[in-house]
mmCIF file with all atom_site columns, all heavy atoms in Angstrom:
data_model
loop_
_atom_site.group_PDB
_atom_site.id
_atom_site.type_symbol
_atom_site.label_atom_id
_atom_site.label_alt_id
_atom_site.label_comp_id
_atom_site.label_asym_id
_atom_site.label_entity_id
_atom_site.label_seq_id
_atom_site.pdbx_PDB_ins_code
_atom_site.Cartn_x
_atom_site.Cartn_y
_atom_site.Cartn_z
_atom_site.occupancy
_atom_site.B_iso_or_equiv
_atom_site.pdbx_formal_charge
_atom_site.auth_seq_id
_atom_site.auth_comp_id
_atom_site.auth_asym_id
_atom_site.auth_atom_id
_atom_site.pdbx_PDB_model_num
ATOM 1   N N   . VAL A 1 1  ? 0.872  -1.179 0.005   1.00 94.00 ? 1  VAL A N   1
ATOM 2   C CA  . VAL A 1 1  ? 0.007  0.035  0.036   1.00 94.00 ? 1  VAL A CA  1
ATOM 3   C C   . VAL A 1 1  ? 0.900  1.189  -0.055  1.00 94.00 ? 1  VAL A C   1
ATOM 4   O O   . VAL A 1 1  ? 1.874  1.291  0.611   1.00 94.00 ? 1  VAL A O   1
ATOM 5   C CB  . VAL A 1 1  ? -0.932 0.023  1.129   1.00 94.00 ? 1  VAL A CB  1
ATOM 6   C CG1 . VAL A 1 1  ? -0.190 0.177  2.521   1.00 94.00 ? 1  VAL A CG1 1
ATOM 7   C CG2 . VAL A 1 1  ? -1.919 1.086  1.088   1.00 94.00 ? 1  VAL A CG2 1
ATOM 8   N N   . LEU A 1 2  ? 0.455  2.220  -0.757  1.00 94.00 ? 2  LEU A N   1
ATOM 9   C CA  . LEU A 1 2  ? 1.208  3.514  -0.729  1.00 94.00 ? 2  LEU A CA  1
ATOM 10  C C   . LEU A 1 2  ? 0.295  4.662  -0.596  1.00 94.00 ? 2  LEU A C   1
ATOM 11  O O   . LEU A 1 2  ? -0.706 4.786  -1.295  1.00 94.00 ? 2  LEU A O   1
ATOM 12  C CB  . LEU A 1 2  ? 1.952  3.662  -2.178  1.00 94.00 ? 2  LEU A CB  1
ATOM 13  C CG  . LEU A 1 2  ? 2.582  4.969  -2.378  1.00 94.00 ? 2  LEU A CG  1
ATOM 14  C CD1 . LEU A 1 2  ? 3.715  5.386  -1.472  1.00 94.00 ? 2  LEU A CD1 1
ATOM 15  C CD2 . LEU A 1 2  ? 3.057  5.098  -3.855  1.00 94.00 ? 2  LEU A CD2 1
ATOM 16  N N   . ALA A 1 3  ? 0.541  5.472  0.421   1.00 95.00 ? 3  ALA A N   1
ATOM 17  C CA  . ALA A 1 3  ? -0.133 6.791  0.565   1.00 95.00 ? 3  ALA A CA  1
ATOM 18  C C   . ALA A 1 3  ? 0.824  7.885  0.555   1.00 95.00 ? 3  ALA A C   1
ATOM 19  O O   . ALA A 1 3  ? 2.051  7.780  0.999   1.00 95.00 ? 3  ALA A O   1
ATOM 20  C CB  . ALA A 1 3  ? -0.829 6.671  2.003   1.00 95.00 ? 3  ALA A CB  1
ATOM 21  N N   . ILE A 1 4  ? 0.478  8.917  0.008   1.00 94.00 ? 4  ILE A N   1
ATOM 22  C CA  . ILE A 1 4  ? 1.445  10.139 -0.165  1.00 94.00 ? 4  ILE A CA  1
ATOM 23  C C   . ILE A 1 4  ? 0.644  11.362 0.503   1.00 94.00 ? 4  ILE A C   1
ATOM 24  O O   . ILE A 1 4  ? -0.595 11.446 0.611   1.00 94.00 ? 4  ILE A O   1
ATOM 25  C CB  . ILE A 1 4  ? 1.521  10.487 -1.601  1.00 94.00 ? 4  ILE A CB  1
ATOM 26  C CG1 . ILE A 1 4  ? 0.298  10.793 -2.391  1.00 94.00 ? 4  ILE A CG1 1
ATOM 27  C CG2 . ILE A 1 4  ? 2.379  9.346  -2.283  1.00 94.00 ? 4  ILE A CG2 1
ATOM 28  C CD1 . ILE A 1 4  ? 0.575  11.245 -3.839  1.00 94.00 ? 4  ILE A CD1 1
ATOM 29  N N   . PRO A 1 5  ? 1.453  12.251 1.033   1.00 94.00 ? 5  PRO A N   1
ATOM 30  C CA  . PRO A 1 5  ? 0.906  13.536 1.585   1.00 94.00 ? 5  PRO A CA  1
ATOM 31  C C   . PRO A 1 5  ? 0.178  14.332 0.500   1.00 94.00 ? 5  PRO A C   1
ATOM 32  O O   . PRO A 1 5  ? 0.515  14.313 -0.668  1.00 94.00 ? 5  PRO A O   1
ATOM 33  C CB  . PRO A 1 5  ? 1.992  14.287 2.082   1.00 94.00 ? 5  PRO A CB  1
ATOM 34  C CG  . PRO A 1 5  ? 3.222  13.789 1.399   1.00 94.00 ? 5  PRO A CG  1
ATOM 35  C CD  . PRO A 1 5  ? 2.922  12.332 1.152   1.00 94.00 ? 5  PRO A CD  1
ATOM 36  N N   . ASP A 1 6  ? -0.947 14.971 0.879   1.00 96.00 ? 6  ASP A N   1
ATOM 37  C CA  . ASP A 1 6  ? -1.711 15.777 -0.170  1.00 96.00 ? 6  ASP A CA  1
ATOM 38  C C   . ASP A 1 6  ? -1.092 17.123 -0.379  1.00 96.00 ? 6  ASP A C   1
ATOM 39  O O   . ASP A 1 6  ? -1.471 18.074 0.144   1.00 96.00 ? 6  ASP A O   1
ATOM 40  C CB  . ASP A 1 6  ? -3.171 15.966 0.346   1.00 96.00 ? 6  ASP A CB  1
ATOM 41  C CG  . ASP A 1 6  ? -4.034 16.734 -0.603  1.00 96.00 ? 6  ASP A CG  1
ATOM 42  O OD1 . ASP A 1 6  ? -3.664 16.805 -1.805  1.00 96.00 ? 6  ASP A OD1 1
ATOM 43  O OD2 . ASP A 1 6  ? -5.066 17.291 -0.087  1.00 96.00 ? 6  ASP A OD2 1
ATOM 44  N N   . ILE A 1 7  ? -0.125 16.989 -1.221  1.00 93.00 ? 7  ILE A N   1
ATOM 45  C CA  . ILE A 1 7  ? 0.678  18.245 -1.583  1.00 93.00 ? 7  ILE A CA  1
ATOM 46  C C   . ILE A 1 7  ? -0.170 19.328 -2.235  1.00 93.00 ? 7  ILE A C   1
ATOM 47  O O   . ILE A 1 7  ? 0.270  20.472 -2.399  1.00 93.00 ? 7  ILE A O   1
ATOM 48  C CB  . ILE A 1 7  ? 1.888  17.991 -2.321  1.00 93.00 ? 7  ILE A CB  1
ATOM 49  C CG1 . ILE A 1 7  ? 1.642  17.393 -3.762  1.00 93.00 ? 7  ILE A CG1 1
ATOM 50  C CG2 . ILE A 1 7  ? 2.926  17.049 -1.581  1.00 93.00 ? 7  ILE A CG2 1
ATOM 51  C CD1 . ILE A 1 7  ? 2.869  17.213 -4.608  1.00 93.00 ? 7  ILE A CD1 1
ATOM 52  N N   . ASN A 1 8  ? -1.329 18.841 -2.700  1.00 94.00 ? 8  ASN A N   1
ATOM 53  C CA  . ASN A 1 8  ? -2.254 19.932 -3.273  1.00 94.00 ? 8  ASN A CA  1
ATOM 54  C C   . ASN A 1 8  ? -2.617 21.000 -2.317  1.00 94.00 ? 8  ASN A C   1
ATOM 55  O O   . ASN A 1 8  ? -2.978 22.133 -2.658  1.00 94.00 ? 8  ASN A O   1
ATOM 56  C CB  . ASN A 1 8  ? -3.447 19.206 -3.843  1.00 94.00 ? 8  ASN A CB  1
ATOM 57  C CG  . ASN A 1 8  ? -3.310 18.745 -5.202  1.00 94.00 ? 8  ASN A CG  1
ATOM 58  O OD1 . ASN A 1 8  ? -2.100 18.655 -5.738  1.00 94.00 ? 8  ASN A OD1 1
ATOM 59  N ND2 . ASN A 1 8  ? -4.342 18.251 -5.875  1.00 94.00 ? 8  ASN A ND2 1
ATOM 60  N N   . GLN A 1 9  ? -2.595 20.744 -0.924  1.00 95.00 ? 9  GLN A N   1
ATOM 61  C CA  . GLN A 1 9  ? -2.768 21.678 -0.034  1.00 95.00 ? 9  GLN A CA  1
ATOM 62  C C   . GLN A 1 9  ? -1.800 22.897 -0.049  1.00 95.00 ? 9  GLN A C   1
ATOM 63  O O   . GLN A 1 9  ? -2.104 24.017 0.323   1.00 95.00 ? 9  GLN A O   1
ATOM 64  C CB  . GLN A 1 9  ? -2.777 21.137 1.467   1.00 95.00 ? 9  GLN A CB  1
ATOM 65  C CG  . GLN A 1 9  ? -3.814 20.234 1.732   1.00 95.00 ? 9  GLN A CG  1
ATOM 66  C CD  . GLN A 1 9  ? -3.869 19.613 3.160   1.00 95.00 ? 9  GLN A CD  1
ATOM 67  O OE1 . GLN A 1 9  ? -3.134 19.967 3.940   1.00 95.00 ? 9  GLN A OE1 1
ATOM 68  N NE2 . GLN A 1 9  ? -4.682 18.665 3.465   1.00 95.00 ? 9  GLN A NE2 1
ATOM 69  N N   . ILE A 1 10 ? -0.641 22.545 -0.624  1.00 92.00 ? 10 ILE A N   1
ATOM 70  C CA  . ILE A 1 10 ? 0.387  23.650 -0.845  1.00 92.00 ? 10 ILE A CA  1
ATOM 71  C C   . ILE A 1 10 ? 0.182  24.176 -2.312  1.00 92.00 ? 10 ILE A C   1
ATOM 72  O O   . ILE A 1 10 ? 0.256  25.400 -2.409  1.00 92.00 ? 10 ILE A O   1
ATOM 73  C CB  . ILE A 1 10 ? 1.797  23.107 -0.633  1.00 92.00 ? 10 ILE A CB  1
ATOM 74  C CG1 . ILE A 1 10 ? 1.963  22.438 0.829   1.00 92.00 ? 10 ILE A CG1 1
ATOM 75  C CG2 . ILE A 1 10 ? 2.910  24.077 -0.860  1.00 92.00 ? 10 ILE A CG2 1
ATOM 76  C CD1 . ILE A 1 10 ? 3.196  21.680 1.023   1.00 92.00 ? 10 ILE A CD1 1
ATOM 77  N N   . LEU A 1 11 ? 0.138  23.300 -3.214  1.00 92.00 ? 11 LEU A N   1
ATOM 78  C CA  . LEU A 1 11 ? 0.119  23.746 -4.660  1.00 92.00 ? 11 LEU A CA  1
ATOM 79  C C   . LEU A 1 11 ? -1.072 24.577 -4.894  1.00 92.00 ? 11 LEU A C   1
ATOM 80  O O   . LEU A 1 11 ? -0.987 25.380 -5.945  1.00 92.00 ? 11 LEU A O   1
ATOM 81  C CB  . LEU A 1 11 ? 0.063  22.597 -5.549  1.00 92.00 ? 11 LEU A CB  1
ATOM 82  C CG  . LEU A 1 11 ? 1.290  21.506 -5.468  1.00 92.00 ? 11 LEU A CG  1
ATOM 83  C CD1 . LEU A 1 11 ? 1.088  20.370 -6.516  1.00 92.00 ? 11 LEU A CD1 1
ATOM 84  C CD2 . LEU A 1 11 ? 2.630  22.367 -5.814  1.00 92.00 ? 11 LEU A CD2 1
ATOM 85  N N   . ILE A 1 12 ? -2.165 24.495 -4.194  1.00 93.00 ? 12 ILE A N   1
ATOM 86  C CA  . ILE A 1 12 ? -3.280 25.484 -4.444  1.00 93.00 ? 12 ILE A CA  1
ATOM 87  C C   . ILE A 1 12 ? -2.956 26.826 -4.309  1.00 93.00 ? 12 ILE A C   1
ATOM 88  O O   . ILE A 1 12 ? -3.566 27.729 -4.897  1.00 93.00 ? 12 ILE A O   1
ATOM 89  C CB  . ILE A 1 12 ? -4.491 24.950 -3.625  1.00 93.00 ? 12 ILE A CB  1
ATOM 90  C CG1 . ILE A 1 12 ? -5.824 25.482 -4.194  1.00 93.00 ? 12 ILE A CG1 1
ATOM 91  C CG2 . ILE A 1 12 ? -4.275 25.440 -2.202  1.00 93.00 ? 12 ILE A CG2 1
ATOM 92  C CD1 . ILE A 1 12 ? -7.074 25.020 -3.544  1.00 93.00 ? 12 ILE A CD1 1
ATOM 93  N N   . LYS A 1 13 ? -1.870 27.182 -3.576  1.00 87.00 ? 13 LYS A N   1
ATOM 94  C CA  . LYS A 1 13 ? -1.492 28.516 -3.328  1.00 87.00 ? 13 LYS A CA  1
ATOM 95  C C   . LYS A 1 13 ? -0.584 29.067 -4.379  1.00 87.00 ? 13 LYS A C   1
ATOM 96  O O   . LYS A 1 13 ? -0.146 30.189 -4.424  1.00 87.00 ? 13 LYS A O   1
ATOM 97  C CB  . LYS A 1 13 ? -0.896 28.707 -1.926  1.00 87.00 ? 13 LYS A CB  1
ATOM 98  C CG  . LYS A 1 13 ? -1.675 28.134 -0.780  1.00 87.00 ? 13 LYS A CG  1
ATOM 99  C CD  . LYS A 1 13 ? -0.846 28.041 0.444   1.00 87.00 ? 13 LYS A CD  1
ATOM 100 C CE  . LYS A 1 13 ? -1.641 27.372 1.571   1.00 87.00 ? 13 LYS A CE  1
ATOM 101 N NZ  . LYS A 1 13 ? -0.772 27.066 2.822   1.00 87.00 ? 13 LYS A NZ  1
ATOM 102 N N   . ASN A 1 14 ? -0.154 28.170 -5.220  1.00 83.00 ? 14 ASN A N   1
ATOM 103 C CA  . ASN A 1 14 ? 0.956  28.358 -6.311  1.00 83.00 ? 14 ASN A CA  1
ATOM 104 C C   . ASN A 1 14 ? 0.122  28.631 -7.663  1.00 83.00 ? 14 ASN A C   1
ATOM 105 O O   . ASN A 1 14 ? 0.091  27.725 -8.516  1.00 83.00 ? 14 ASN A O   1
ATOM 106 C CB  . ASN A 1 14 ? 1.873  27.225 -6.403  1.00 83.00 ? 14 ASN A CB  1
ATOM 107 C CG  . ASN A 1 14 ? 3.087  27.673 -6.898  1.00 83.00 ? 14 ASN A CG  1
ATOM 108 O OD1 . ASN A 1 14 ? 3.531  28.751 -7.162  1.00 83.00 ? 14 ASN A OD1 1
ATOM 109 N ND2 . ASN A 1 14 ? 3.929  26.689 -7.489  1.00 83.00 ? 14 ASN A ND2 1
ATOM 110 N N   . LYS A 1 15 ? -0.396 29.772 -7.887  1.00 80.00 ? 15 LYS A N   1
ATOM 111 C CA  . LYS A 1 15 ? -1.455 30.019 -8.969  1.00 80.00 ? 15 LYS A CA  1
ATOM 112 C C   . LYS A 1 15 ? -1.116 29.559 -10.327 1.00 80.00 ? 15 LYS A C   1
ATOM 113 O O   . LYS A 1 15 ? -1.945 29.194 -11.039 1.00 80.00 ? 15 LYS A O   1
ATOM 114 C CB  . LYS A 1 15 ? -1.904 31.485 -8.903  1.00 80.00 ? 15 LYS A CB  1
ATOM 115 C CG  . LYS A 1 15 ? -2.614 31.767 -7.553  1.00 80.00 ? 15 LYS A CG  1
ATOM 116 C CD  . LYS A 1 15 ? -3.797 30.801 -7.341  1.00 80.00 ? 15 LYS A CD  1
ATOM 117 C CE  . LYS A 1 15 ? -4.443 31.136 -6.033  1.00 80.00 ? 15 LYS A CE  1
ATOM 118 N NZ  . LYS A 1 15 ? -5.527 30.111 -5.825  1.00 80.00 ? 15 LYS A NZ  1
ATOM 119 N N   . ARG A 1 16 ? 0.104  29.550 -10.713 1.00 85.00 ? 16 ARG A N   1
ATOM 120 C CA  . ARG A 1 16 ? 0.420  29.079 -12.052 1.00 85.00 ? 16 ARG A CA  1
ATOM 121 C C   . ARG A 1 16 ? 1.433  27.996 -12.157 1.00 85.00 ? 16 ARG A C   1
ATOM 122 O O   . ARG A 1 16 ? 1.999  27.749 -13.227 1.00 85.00 ? 16 ARG A O   1
ATOM 123 C CB  . ARG A 1 16 ? 1.033  30.364 -12.892 1.00 85.00 ? 16 ARG A CB  1
ATOM 124 C CG  . ARG A 1 16 ? -0.005 31.482 -13.146 1.00 85.00 ? 16 ARG A CG  1
ATOM 125 C CD  . ARG A 1 16 ? 0.451  32.561 -14.168 1.00 85.00 ? 16 ARG A CD  1
ATOM 126 N NE  . ARG A 1 16 ? 0.311  32.079 -15.465 1.00 85.00 ? 16 ARG A NE  1
ATOM 127 C CZ  . ARG A 1 16 ? -0.770 31.982 -16.207 1.00 85.00 ? 16 ARG A CZ  1
ATOM 128 N NH1 . ARG A 1 16 ? -1.907 32.299 -15.729 1.00 85.00 ? 16 ARG A NH1 1
ATOM 129 N NH2 . ARG A 1 16 ? -0.742 31.535 -17.452 1.00 85.00 ? 16 ARG A NH2 1
ATOM 130 N N   . GLY A 1 17 ? 1.546  27.282 -11.126 1.00 83.00 ? 17 GLY A N   1
ATOM 131 C CA  . GLY A 1 17 ? 2.223  26.039 -11.064 1.00 83.00 ? 17 GLY A CA  1
ATOM 132 C C   . GLY A 1 17 ? 3.826  26.167 -11.076 1.00 83.00 ? 17 GLY A C   1
ATOM 133 O O   . GLY A 1 17 ? 4.592  25.155 -11.325 1.00 83.00 ? 17 GLY A O   1
ATOM 134 N N   . ARG A 1 18 ? 4.305  27.382 -10.872 1.00 83.00 ? 18 ARG A N   1
ATOM 135 C CA  . ARG A 1 18 ? 5.733  27.513 -10.935 1.00 83.00 ? 18 ARG A CA  1
ATOM 136 C C   . ARG A 1 18 ? 6.395  27.198 -9.599  1.00 83.00 ? 18 ARG A C   1
ATOM 137 O O   . ARG A 1 18 ? 5.813  27.749 -8.541  1.00 83.00 ? 18 ARG A O   1
ATOM 138 C CB  . ARG A 1 18 ? 6.157  29.005 -11.354 1.00 83.00 ? 18 ARG A CB  1
ATOM 139 C CG  . ARG A 1 18 ? 6.328  29.165 -12.876 1.00 83.00 ? 18 ARG A CG  1
ATOM 140 C CD  . ARG A 1 18 ? 5.165  28.811 -13.728 1.00 83.00 ? 18 ARG A CD  1
ATOM 141 N NE  . ARG A 1 18 ? 5.416  29.187 -15.059 1.00 83.00 ? 18 ARG A NE  1
ATOM 142 C CZ  . ARG A 1 18 ? 4.329  29.063 -16.013 1.00 83.00 ? 18 ARG A CZ  1
ATOM 143 N NH1 . ARG A 1 18 ? 3.323  28.579 -15.720 1.00 83.00 ? 18 ARG A NH1 1
ATOM 144 N NH2 . ARG A 1 18 ? 4.758  29.488 -17.270 1.00 83.00 ? 18 ARG A NH2 1
ATOM 145 N N   . LEU A 1 19 ? 7.425  26.627 -9.574  1.00 73.00 ? 19 LEU A N   1
ATOM 146 C CA  . LEU A 1 19 ? 8.190  26.275 -8.306  1.00 73.00 ? 19 LEU A CA  1
ATOM 147 C C   . LEU A 1 19 ? 9.088  27.387 -7.923  1.00 73.00 ? 19 LEU A C   1
ATOM 148 O O   . LEU A 1 19 ? 9.420  27.578 -6.831  1.00 73.00 ? 19 LEU A O   1
ATOM 149 C CB  . LEU A 1 19 ? 9.054  24.987 -8.531  1.00 73.00 ? 19 LEU A CB  1
ATOM 150 C CG  . LEU A 1 19 ? 8.196  23.745 -8.464  1.00 73.00 ? 19 LEU A CG  1
ATOM 151 C CD1 . LEU A 1 19 ? 9.072  22.566 -8.541  1.00 73.00 ? 19 LEU A CD1 1
ATOM 152 C CD2 . LEU A 1 19 ? 7.339  23.495 -7.247  1.00 73.00 ? 19 LEU A CD2 1
ATOM 153 N N   . LEU A 1 20 ? 9.512  28.230 -9.014  1.00 62.00 ? 20 LEU A N   1
ATOM 154 C CA  . LEU A 1 20 ? 10.335 29.329 -8.564  1.00 62.00 ? 20 LEU A CA  1
ATOM 155 C C   . LEU A 1 20 ? 9.597  30.737 -8.867  1.00 62.00 ? 20 LEU A C   1
ATOM 156 O O   . LEU A 1 20 ? 8.798  30.788 -9.680  1.00 62.00 ? 20 LEU A O   1
ATOM 157 C CB  . LEU A 1 20 ? 11.661 29.233 -9.535  1.00 62.00 ? 20 LEU A CB  1
ATOM 158 C CG  . LEU A 1 20 ? 12.540 28.036 -9.418  1.00 62.00 ? 20 LEU A CG  1
ATOM 159 C CD1 . LEU A 1 20 ? 13.531 28.027 -10.506 1.00 62.00 ? 20 LEU A CD1 1
ATOM 160 C CD2 . LEU A 1 20 ? 13.166 27.975 -8.037  1.00 62.00 ? 20 LEU A CD2 1
ATOM 161 N N   . PRO A 1 21 ? 10.038 31.737 -8.120  1.00 62.00 ? 21 PRO A N   1
ATOM 162 C CA  . PRO A 1 21 ? 10.948 31.697 -7.105  1.00 62.00 ? 21 PRO A CA  1
ATOM 163 C C   . PRO A 1 21 ? 10.484 31.157 -5.718  1.00 62.00 ? 21 PRO A C   1
ATOM 164 O O   . PRO A 1 21 ? 11.387 30.834 -4.949  1.00 62.00 ? 21 PRO A O   1
ATOM 165 C CB  . PRO A 1 21 ? 11.252 33.182 -6.995  1.00 62.00 ? 21 PRO A CB  1
ATOM 166 C CG  . PRO A 1 21 ? 10.049 33.972 -7.307  1.00 62.00 ? 21 PRO A CG  1
ATOM 167 C CD  . PRO A 1 21 ? 9.312  33.132 -8.369  1.00 62.00 ? 21 PRO A CD  1
ATOM 168 N N   . PHE A 1 22 ? 9.168  31.074 -5.438  1.00 60.00 ? 22 PHE A N   1
ATOM 169 C CA  . PHE A 1 22 ? 8.773  30.878 -4.106  1.00 60.00 ? 22 PHE A CA  1
ATOM 170 C C   . PHE A 1 22 ? 8.055  29.541 -3.868  1.00 60.00 ? 22 PHE A C   1
ATOM 171 O O   . PHE A 1 22 ? 8.064  29.060 -2.674  1.00 60.00 ? 22 PHE A O   1
ATOM 172 C CB  . PHE A 1 22 ? 7.835  31.959 -3.547  1.00 60.00 ? 22 PHE A CB  1
ATOM 173 C CG  . PHE A 1 22 ? 8.402  33.304 -3.657  1.00 60.00 ? 22 PHE A CG  1
ATOM 174 C CD1 . PHE A 1 22 ? 7.935  34.275 -4.612  1.00 60.00 ? 22 PHE A CD1 1
ATOM 175 C CD2 . PHE A 1 22 ? 9.507  33.684 -2.950  1.00 60.00 ? 22 PHE A CD2 1
ATOM 176 C CE1 . PHE A 1 22 ? 8.364  35.620 -4.593  1.00 60.00 ? 22 PHE A CE1 1
ATOM 177 C CE2 . PHE A 1 22 ? 9.984  35.008 -3.010  1.00 60.00 ? 22 PHE A CE2 1
ATOM 178 C CZ  . PHE A 1 22 ? 9.436  35.901 -3.910  1.00 60.00 ? 22 PHE A CZ  1
ATOM 179 N N   . GLY A 1 23 ? 7.591  28.926 -5.019  1.00 60.00 ? 23 GLY A N   1
ATOM 180 C CA  . GLY A 1 23 ? 6.887  27.661 -4.812  1.00 60.00 ? 23 GLY A CA  1
ATOM 181 C C   . GLY A 1 23 ? 7.706  26.584 -4.246  1.00 60.00 ? 23 GLY A C   1
ATOM 182 O O   . GLY A 1 23 ? 7.092  25.707 -3.340  1.00 60.00 ? 23 GLY A O   1
ATOM 183 N N   . ILE A 1 24 ? 9.008  26.433 -4.449  1.00 65.00 ? 24 ILE A N   1
ATOM 184 C CA  . ILE A 1 24 ? 9.766  25.358 -3.900  1.00 65.00 ? 24 ILE A CA  1
ATOM 185 C C   . ILE A 1 24 ? 9.932  25.504 -2.392  1.00 65.00 ? 24 ILE A C   1
ATOM 186 O O   . ILE A 1 24 ? 9.962  24.525 -1.625  1.00 65.00 ? 24 ILE A O   1
ATOM 187 C CB  . ILE A 1 24 ? 11.195 25.406 -4.480  1.00 65.00 ? 24 ILE A CB  1
ATOM 188 C CG1 . ILE A 1 24 ? 12.038 24.122 -4.045  1.00 65.00 ? 24 ILE A CG1 1
ATOM 189 C CG2 . ILE A 1 24 ? 11.961 26.618 -4.255  1.00 65.00 ? 24 ILE A CG2 1
ATOM 190 C CD1 . ILE A 1 24 ? 11.435 22.855 -4.548  1.00 65.00 ? 24 ILE A CD1 1
#
């Protein structure tokens, strides 16, 4: 079994999906 943390809770704040400069 594999479960992963729901990183969408963070990505939802990253409006255009960019990791840089602040998303990472």
Side-chain angles (χ1 to χ4, degrees):
V1 64
L2 170 64
I4 58 174
D6 179 22
I7 60 171
N8 277 9
Q9 292 183 5
I10 301 171
L11 297 180
I12 198 170
K13 305 169 188 176
N14 198 20
K15 292 306 178 184
R16 297 191 72 80
R18 267 57 172 186
L19 288 179
L20 298 174
F22 304 116
I24 189 67

